[in-house]
Amino acid sequence: MAEIRNVSGVSYTPAGAGYFEKRTLQRTAGFWGLWGLGIAAVISGAFSGWNVGLSTTGWGGLLIAMIIIVIMYFTMIFSIGEMSAAMPHTGGAYSFARAALGPWGGFVTGLAETIEYVVTTSVIVLFSASYANSALSTLTGVSLPGPVWWAILFALFIGLNSLGASIGFRFALIVAIISMAVILIFAILAVANGAVDFSRVLDITPAGANSTFLPFGAVGILFSLPFAIWFFLGIEELPLAAEEAKNPSRDIPRASVWGVITLAFFGMLILFLNPAVTGSKAITVSPGDGDEPLLAGFRAFLPDSVAAVLAIGALIGLLASLQGIMFAYGRNMYSLSRAGYYPKFLSLTGAKHKTPWVALLVGGIIGYIILTVVVIIIPATNPDLAAAARGVILFIAVFGAVISYMMQMVSFVILRRKFPNAKRPYTSPTGVAGAIIALVIAFGAFLGIVLAPTFAVAVVTFIVIFVVGIGLFALYGRHQLVLSPEEEYALSGGLHGDPQTEGYDAMESEVFDKK
């Protein structure tokens, strides 16, 4: 078989007849579908997860961190928008880094994003199961074990995501709107019932001579950055929908920017009102109200039966994110598999619905195993780690995200110089300076994870997964690459960009005929 060798230490082989036809996606999404997908993927961050940071950083630290992270996401999304418009194919972060940093940089970035999205899916399933069981037990007196809920949720949403992108985008938009409505209802009812008392947000006892605003000192701001990211984590996934968007170069940047604006509004609403109703200290406990801070807020001023009904609305928010993040890991694994970085069978799509069902199924199985290990096996072998185990998986997800963010911002700066003649239908209003700002803040969040002793297990676990992944790629994957659209863009210097107009094997004849 013909090969191209010695391209940054990797080898390419011809895709073969019918290769891309078996890996076809369908264009169905416009601006609103993309915006809904972005909101759906992230909105669960307002329902669970963020509040864990209150116990280690305090409300003031989290507020300041939130402002910093909003700046990071705006500058980062501007940069990602420019790259996604120039590279309208499914690879997303992997594609950007592949073009800028070569195949090894592309693989590392893609692997970090795979870990981010698969683990985030597990976290959302965990929180969703908690909300669902609380509502069910309050309304009916029936309770189901966690593993049963996990199986139900994974099976349900793998099935939904496999039914076709058009159904997935519509579902995401509907549940995103419902989720935002639930937060607005909480805000209106909390104010109307006189339940809001802003003195409660500062009820965490300060350490030493620190203030109640920063009970753990200014260093708490650094440790708050990863928790503030949880309000936005996932909005950067929209470039993964490029081959399913009708006009990706125009709509993905617009949907991403408006997504950040929307999420910043609802994130601030929750950050101010939820602790003002319950008190900050009350929603840091896990398991318990720490898993369900918004439900704890409803319970603070409503009867349990009414709060349980509204908890179903909160559950919809979590399920919205389950839909959106599952879409992300499916497309991320699909694009890396289609290019040969992961086993190629993962990129197969269904003949009827044109969705990467194999990647969705395999990612779900991995997610279920993660929950089983973290929530059942680890606490059973060491009860002292039971409380920390849930935080570990959340931080593995955030750790993967910040590594991906840093790699993408480095890629942006390099691509501005490396591919000066590449077509850029959208340009970042903050340019290279904005990318550098986002890079610095992302690095701060990286330090906030690495330097926090509480999350050393998460860092070590991530590094182990990373080393194993890189080792497998070095031994096997680097010799299996295919000229997918992401690889063609990188190898052509940005001249081959849009598979919709050029076809999915635009460079095959140029390269392999010469061999």
Side-chain angles (χ1 to χ4, degrees):
M1 180 180 289
E3 290 185 338
I4 309 173
R5 296 190 180 275
N6 302 319
V7 181
S8 301
V10 302
S11 303
Y12 292 88
T13 58
Y19 182 84
F20 291 109
E21 285 76 4
K22 296 176 183 177
R23 293 160 173 82
T24 303
L25 300 174
Q26 195 168 30
R27 295 187 183 274
T28 60
F31 168 81
W32 288 110
L34 293 166
W35 174 82
L37 179 68
I39 300 302
V42 186
I43 198 68
S44 68
F47 291 92
S48 292
W50 64 271
N51 53 297
V52 180
L54 294 170
S55 61
T56 56
T57 65
W59 186 84
L62 192 53
L63 174 63
I64 295 172
M66 182 74 163
I67 295 169
I68 295 171
I69 290 301
V70 168
I71 295 171
M72 183 193 81
Y73 269 93
F74 270 115
T75 52
M76 183 177 73
I77 285 299
F78 289 148
S79 303
I80 290 175
E82 177 174 313
M83 292 187 290
S84 67
M87 294 174 249
H89 32 67
T90 302
Y94 136 66
S95 181
F96 310 152
R98 169 62 186 92
L101 304 169
W104 290 89
F107 174 75
V108 167
T109 305
L111 177 60
E113 200 170 57
T114 301
I115 296 170
E116 171 194 352
Y117 292 141
V118 171
V119 175
T120 299
T121 301
S122 300
V123 175
I124 296 170
V125 166
L126 179 65
F127 289 143
S128 298
S130 179
Y131 267 92
N133 203 55
S134 291
L136 181 66
S137 61
T138 300
L139 294 174
T140 68
V142 177
S143 181
L144 295 177
V148 175
W149 279 116
W150 307 339
I152 291 171
L153 291 167
F154 272 117
L156 182 63
F157 280 87
I158 289 172
L160 176 63
N161 270 280
S162 298
L163 288 177
S166 60
I167 293 175
F169 283 119
R170 285 198 297 269
F171 178 83
L173 179 59
I174 292 169
V175 293
I177 292 171
I178 294 173
S179 303
M180 291 184 289
V182 170
I183 296 175
L184 289 175
I185 289 170
F186 170 74
I188 293 169
L189 291 180
V191 173
N193 280 272
V196 177
D197 181 354
F198 288 109
S199 66
R200 295 191 185 110
V201 305
L202 304 178
D203 67 351
I204 294 177
T205 303
N210 294 313
S211 67
T212 54
F213 185 75
L214 292 173
F216 303 99
V219 71
I221 299 171
L222 179 67
F223 295 138
S224 289
L225 293 174
F227 295 103
I229 284 175
W230 196 245
F231 281 108
F232 299 91
L233 188 146
I235 188 62
E236 76 283 354
E237 77 168 55
L238 290 186
L240 293 169
E243 291 177 45
E244 291 161 285
K246 295 175 183 176
N247 192 336
S249 295
R250 183 193 67 184
D251 290 340
I252 288 177
R254 287 200 306 142
S256 299
V257 171
W258 279 104
V260 172
I261 293 171
T262 305
L263 293 166
F265 171 76
F266 283 99
M268 284 293 187
L269 202 60
I270 284 291
L271 181 59
F272 274 89
L273 294 183
N274 206 157
V277 170
T278 62
S280 292
K281 187 175 181 179
I283 54 174
T284 61
V285 181
S286 182
D289 287 345
D291 284 348
E292 308 151 2
L294 189 63
L295 179 55
F298 278 124
R299 284 173 172 162
F301 58 84
L302 293 174
D304 279 353
S305 58
V306 178
V309 173
L310 291 171
I312 296 174
L315 175 62
I316 290 174
L318 289 160
L319 298 182
S321 288
L322 186 53
Q323 158 70 13
I325 292 295
M326 193 171 281
F327 176 96
Y329 84 62
R331 272 55 177 186
N332 162 269
M333 293 173 70
Y334 161 86
S335 61
L336 285 160
S337 167
R338 183 177 64 177
Y341 291 88
Y342 292 172
K344 294 185 177 70
F345 74 90
L346 291 174
S347 56
L348 291 171
T349 55
K352 181 179 180 181
H353 299 300
K354 307 298 182 185
T355 54
W357 66 273
V358 182
L360 290 166
L361 178 61
V362 171
I365 292 171
I366 294 171
Y368 192 93
I369 293 172
I370 290 170
L371 287 179
T372 301
V373 171
V374 170
V375 180
I376 297 176
I377 295 177
I378 291 177
T381 56
N382 190 340
D384 294 336
L385 294 177
R390 295 164 186 258
V392 167
I393 55 174
L394 188 152
F395 266 80
I396 291 173
V398 177
F399 198 48
V402 296
I403 290 175
S404 171
Y405 296 168
M406 290 189 292
M407 295 292 280
Q408 289 181 80
M409 293 306 95
V410 170
S411 298
F412 178 89
V413 175
I414 291 174
L415 286 173
R416 277 287 185 98
R417 294 177 178 271
K418 186 176 180 180
F419 292 176
N421 297 320
K423 182 180 178 181
R424 292 178 169 85
Y426 170 87
T427 55
S428 166
T430 55
V432 171
I436 293 173
I437 290 171
L439 173 63
V440 170
I441 297 174
F443 181 69
F446 175 85
L447 292 178
I449 298 172
V450 172
L451 299 179
T454 306
F455 302 108
V457 175
V459 174
V460 172
T461 303
F462 184 94
I463 291 173
V464 169
I465 295 171
F466 226 59
V467 170
V468 170
I470 293 172
L472 290 173
F473 178 67
L475 292 172
Y476 179 75
R478 68 190 180 95
H479 300 301
Q480 307 299 317
L481 300 191
V482 172
L483 290 174
S484 67
E486 296 86 358
E487 299 298 308
E488 289 186 347
Y489 183 90
L491 291 171
S492 68
L495 300 180
H496 284 290
D498 189 350
Q500 185 179 25
T501 58
E502 298 173 11
Y504 285 82
D505 55 356
M507 284 183 66
E508 287 257 335
S509 60
E510 297 176 20
V511 171
F512 292 110
D513 286 353
K514 294 178 181 179
K515 295 295 290 183

